[in-house]
Amino acid sequence: MTEAATAPEAALDDATLTGRARDGDVRAYEQLVLRYQGAMFRLAARMLADRSEAEDVIQEVFLTAWRRLAQLQDDSAFSGWLYRMTTNRCLNVIRSRPDRADVDLDTTESPHRATQPEHAAQVHDQMAALTAALQRLTPEQRACWLLREVHGRSYEEIAEIVGTNTTAVRGRIARARAQLAEVMKPWR
């Protein structure tokens, strides 16, 4: 038996797990879900500012990914494909909303709390201000900014995820940064 055959699934790369999942290996797909569910949830929660909607979106995205795995041309592109599906699904949810919903600041609160109450209150207020400021961005600006600043994606990856070119991505991020910088001035 080779070393690769005995390696735990968690140590395998995305391409290997994706290939196995495409062949019907549910455990391999479970590993991919475990690897990416946190990042996809954080993206959806920030885009939607609603934990319940984010949970629904992520469940839908992973179910859709499982069903459409055969359509993925490059096994190593799984994460980008997942980011694209999550972003597009969030944008569709935002567009389908009748009105801009009031932001429920408690839904996107960080689970990490500081030990000192004053610091915790300040951090909570900053996060609340950032969440509210993100909701004032256009959905496209919000998606681009989150993918770049929170998820560390390249401009090229973001362009592919949101279906535009890198110049548009750079413009959206620049406008988002300027708008956020203005709103967040009191917190500097």
Side-chain angles (χ1 to χ4, degrees), residues 43-78:
L43 173 63
R46 288 285 179 216
M47 283 190 69
L48 300 170
D50 184 305
R51 290 182 66 86
S52 178
E53 279 186 325
E55 289 168 356
D56 291 345
V57 162
I58 297 311
Q59 184 175 5
E60 201 174 304
V61 164
F62 279 108
L63 185 58
T64 301
W66 172 251
R67 289 179 180 156
R68 296 185 182 166
L69 207 49
Q71 296 173 6
L72 183 61
Q73 302 295 322
D74 179 6
D75 289 347
S76 64
F78 181 79

Side-chain angles (χ1 to χ4, degrees), residues 142-159:
R142 189 178 330 139
C144 291
W145 186 87
L146 286 167
L147 287 166
R148 179 68 182 172
E149 301 299 334
V150 177
H151 295 272
R153 300 317 239 179
S154 71
Y155 291 110
E156 293 78 16
E157 288 174 308
I158 297 168

Side-chain angles (χ1 to χ4, degrees), residues 94-115:
I94 291 167
R95 289 180 189 123
S96 70
R97 290 176 176 164
D99 292 334
R100 288 190 76 147
D102 290 338
V103 177
D104 183 356
L105 301 176
D106 291 329
T107 61
T108 55
E109 181 178 313
S110 171
H112 306 291
R113 298 207 185 247
T115 56

